[in-house]
Every structure is written in structure tokens, then in C-alpha cells.
Amino acid sequence: MITVSDQTSISRAALILRNGGLVAIPTETVYGLAANALNPYACAKIFEAKNRPHFDPLIVHVSDRTMLDTISDSIPIEIERLIARFWPGPLTVVVKKNTTVPDIVTSGLNSVAIRMPRHDVALAVIRESGIPLAAPSANPFGYLSPTTAIHVEEQLGSRIDMILDGGSCEVGVESTIVKLYDGKIHCLRPGGITLNELAGTAGCEAVLSDKGDIPEAPGLLPSHYAPHAKVILINEGDHIDADETAALCLFRKNNNGGHFAGIEILSVSGDLKEAASNLFAALHRLDSLGASVIYAEIVPENGIGVAIMNRLRKAAAL
Ligand code: TXA
Ligand code: MG
């Protein structure tokens, strides 16, 4: 089911997508479950395979500027500046859609979320299929996002037509999602791009709008990215009594003695980027051990640490 990415498999994936099928593709953030964004029947299969509620709109992936212009007729200058700097890369822009985009992609909104991934395999598949691809993260709704082809195989393998293997995802957390609203860049989901970088590049104020203070930001539910085990957040260095039914997801070192179901350290050197790229894989491993609770250390909330804490809080349903 998992296929090595080469020219032959990329061509096969493109054909499956043109024919309305589902293909999991690697991106620099997480693996996506792709379908032809212009075919509502193909997109409906994404919702079915993921068990995803229809009020949660999809991100459309493009390989070049021309493709962007086929789905949106008006890109504000502030957004243009962000695209010029951060594409291809982990930035999703929410802009006005045109009539080419089916309602199922946007959950009936008149805006559409679009990004250009920074991954050779994803770009090759989009280019070769010649169509924009709708692709949410390739996990069952609400569960941990996949950062390897094996994660996809374990969670969705029987429900999709093909999984293209592109190795481990470099960034490891989902893209930063932004929308221009009221003259400001609203960050609807934090990722690796900071508010300072957004403001400096867009030339206007940038604010975090994760709490739903703008009316059109559906799908950002409080509980998300969650393992089966209960997640409890702890401060760095908090002592946890040895417990074989508990697992630890630690930032840089383990101060706890005794046996646990499993222990993961996200970055021994305390590098937040490394921690982000390891986050979901570490949680997947701990969850597969059958622990009833995962204690996860809080990380510093700067840079991509903001995105890590956003995912951990949602995993803990705080
Ligand atoms: O890094 C990523 O963005 C990954 C890879 C595969 O590209 N994709 C991803 O998609 O994380 P997904 O479906 O798991 O998250 C998409 C989120 C939705 O939950 C929703 O909150 C937001 O994007 N979104 C999509 N369309 C929107 C719109 N028109 N307005 C506001 N938010 C939107
Ligand atoms: Mg997702």
C-alpha cells in the first residue's frame, strides 16, 4: 500500500487523482490526504475516509501561481507579500474563492484556504495531475496528525487508493493559516511562521485569532490532534511518580526515575524546530504502547513553540 515515490508512482498517483481517487502525499508539514479539489465527489471521499464533519473546510494545494489564479480572483496585497516570501512553504492563506471551487471544499464559505507545499513529491503530484488538490492531514478526524507514511498506513490504509512515501516530514506541525480581516493579518492556526514575521512581511498588524474571534474560522475545535491516551500538561522538570501505565513526552531531558510505559524526549539540545518535527511521531509511539495517560511537558512559547503548545493544549482538550 505504501509506495516509494519515483516518477512511475507519481504518474500513477496523478492518474488516480484525475480519476477521482484518494492519495496520501508527503508535505513538509504533515502527510495530506489528497483528492481533486475541483471534483466534489472526490472531495466527499476525503470526508468519508477521515470521518470528518462537513463543517470543517479543506486546504487546497497548488504547485504554481497560475493554479492559484484559477481558484481565486482577488488576492489582497498583504497576502501577496506573504505568498512571495513564504511559498512554497508552511503558510496557508484564506482568500475569496471563485465559482470553480466546489462548496464541499469550503464548507459553503465564500473563502478558500490555499497553500503551496515545499516538498518535491507533493509539487510533482500536483503538477503532473494538473489540478489543485484538496488535502487535509491524512489522519482520522481529531486524532494525531501523520508525519510518516507508516502513520497513514496504520490509520487510513484500507480506506485510500495509494500512499506515497516521502520520508519523515521536515516541519512536523501543520501550516500557519492566515486571513486578512479588518485590515489585519489574523493567524487562525499557529505554525512555524511567527506573528512578527507575518507582520513584517505583510506590512500590517498580525494577531493570533485562534479563539474564534473572527466569524469564518470553522474547524478549529478545542479538542483535536489527540492521542487515545489522556494527555496531561506538566511544567518542564515536574516530577512524576513512576507508573507503568503512564508515558512521558518531555522537552529536553528526563528527571524522573523508575519505570514508565514509555518516555520520549523531543530535543535533547532544546531546539524547538527539532521538537516540532518529532512531536507527532513521539505521541504516536507513546500512544501505541497503550498507556492510559501521557504527561507532556510544556515547551517555551516562542517561534514554533507557539504551534507545539497549540497542538498540545488541543491534545489535552484545554
Ligand atoms: O500543513 C497543513 O496545512 C496540512 C498539510 C496536509 O497541508 N493540512 C492540514 O489540513 O492541516 P487540515 O484539514 O487538517 O486543517 C485545515 C484547517 C481546517 O480545519 C480549517 O480550520 C482551516 O484549515 N480552513 C480551511 N478552509 C478555511 C476557510 N475557508 N476559512 C477558515 N479556515 C479554513
Ligand atoms: Mg488536521
Side-chain angles (χ1 to χ4, degrees):
M1 186 69 178
I2 297 179
T3 312
V4 175
S5 297
D6 56 20
Q7 189 47 56
T8 312
S9 57
I10 286 171
S11 299
R12 191 151 65 83
L15 190 65
I16 292 171
L17 289 162
R18 276 203 301 272
N19 289 333
L22 296 183
V23 178
I25 57 169
T27 82
E28 80 282 30
T29 58
V30 300
Y31 276 70
L33 181 58
N36 178 353
L38 307 182
N39 175 342
Y41 302 101
C43 292
K45 290 186 193 167
I46 293 181
F47 287 87
E48 238 168 74
K50 278 186 59 107
N51 236 333
R52 181 177 175 115
H54 282 265
F55 59 75
D56 195 6
L58 306 175
I59 295 176
V60 178
H61 296 65
V62 298
S63 55
D64 55 53
R65 177 62 206 228
T66 318
M67 206 178 256
L68 167 68
D69 291 334
T70 63
I71 52 183
S72 177
D73 305 326
S74 62
I75 312 281
I77 180 67
E78 293 85 350
I79 297 287
E80 287 282 6
R81 293 182 188 127
L82 294 178
I83 287 175
R85 161 124 186 242
F86 295 110
W87 280 12
L91 176 77
T92 296
V93 301
V94 175
V95 292
K96 200 163 182 299
K97 82 174 189 83
N98 68 21
T99 51
T100 322
V101 184
D103 279 343
I104 188 167
V105 171
T106 63
S107 305
L109 298 171
N110 62 8
S111 61
V112 58
I114 311 174
R115 86 178 192 96
M116 188 190 294
R118 188 180 68 218
H119 196 292
D120 289 347
V121 175
L123 289 171
V125 173
I126 305 168
R127 250 184 240 122
E128 180 126 355
S129 58
I131 39 178
L133 299 180
S137 49
N139 52 303
F141 183 72
Y143 192 62
L144 298 171
S145 295
T147 54
T148 65
I150 291 170
H151 294 157
V152 183
E153 167 80 28
E154 284 168 357
Q155 300 175 32
L156 294 178
S158 60
R159 300 177 175 206
I160 62 186
D161 299 307
M162 187 177 188
I163 302 170
L164 277 176
D165 193 350
S168 293
C169 300
E170 178 201 335
V171 177
V173 289
E174 302 80 354
S175 59
T176 304
I177 303 180
V178 299
K179 177 174 183 179
L180 185 74
Y181 178 75
D182 261 358
K184 293 180 201 160
I185 292 292
H186 286 253
C187 176
L188 308 183
R189 180 176 69 185
I193 302 171
T194 62
L195 289 179
N196 274 346
E197 286 176 301
L198 291 171
T201 306
C204 64
E205 204 183 328
V207 293
L208 195 58
S209 279
D210 194 31
K211 302 273 187 290
D213 50 338
I214 84 165
E216 291 179 7
L220 302 166
L221 302 176
S223 170
H224 219 90
Y225 314 110
H228 299 302
K230 182 178 169 57
V231 173
I232 297 177
L233 299 185
I234 57 172
N235 289 311
E236 196 179 348
D238 275 359
H239 178 82
I240 303 295
D241 289 336
D243 178 352
E244 298 205 346
T245 67
L248 305 178
C249 180
L250 305 171
F251 178 36
R252 51 189 144 187
K253 62 174 186 287
N254 178 25
N255 295 315
N256 301 280
H259 286 289
F260 291 90
I263 299 176
E264 291 281 342
I265 294 178
L266 297 181
S267 171
V268 173
S269 64
D271 176 353
L272 287 167
K273 281 194 174 159
E274 184 183 22
S277 73
N278 287 329
L279 177 69
F280 283 123
L283 291 172
H284 273 285
R285 282 192 293 271
L286 294 177
D287 211 23
S288 71
L289 301 172
S292 56
V293 49
I294 298 173
Y295 292 97
E297 266 182 1
I298 286 170
V299 305
E301 268 180 280
N302 47 54
I304 202 166
V306 176
I308 297 175
M309 285 313 303
N310 169 272
R311 308 307 188 268
L312 282 178
R313 287 205 182 90
K314 292 198 180 201
L318 288 180

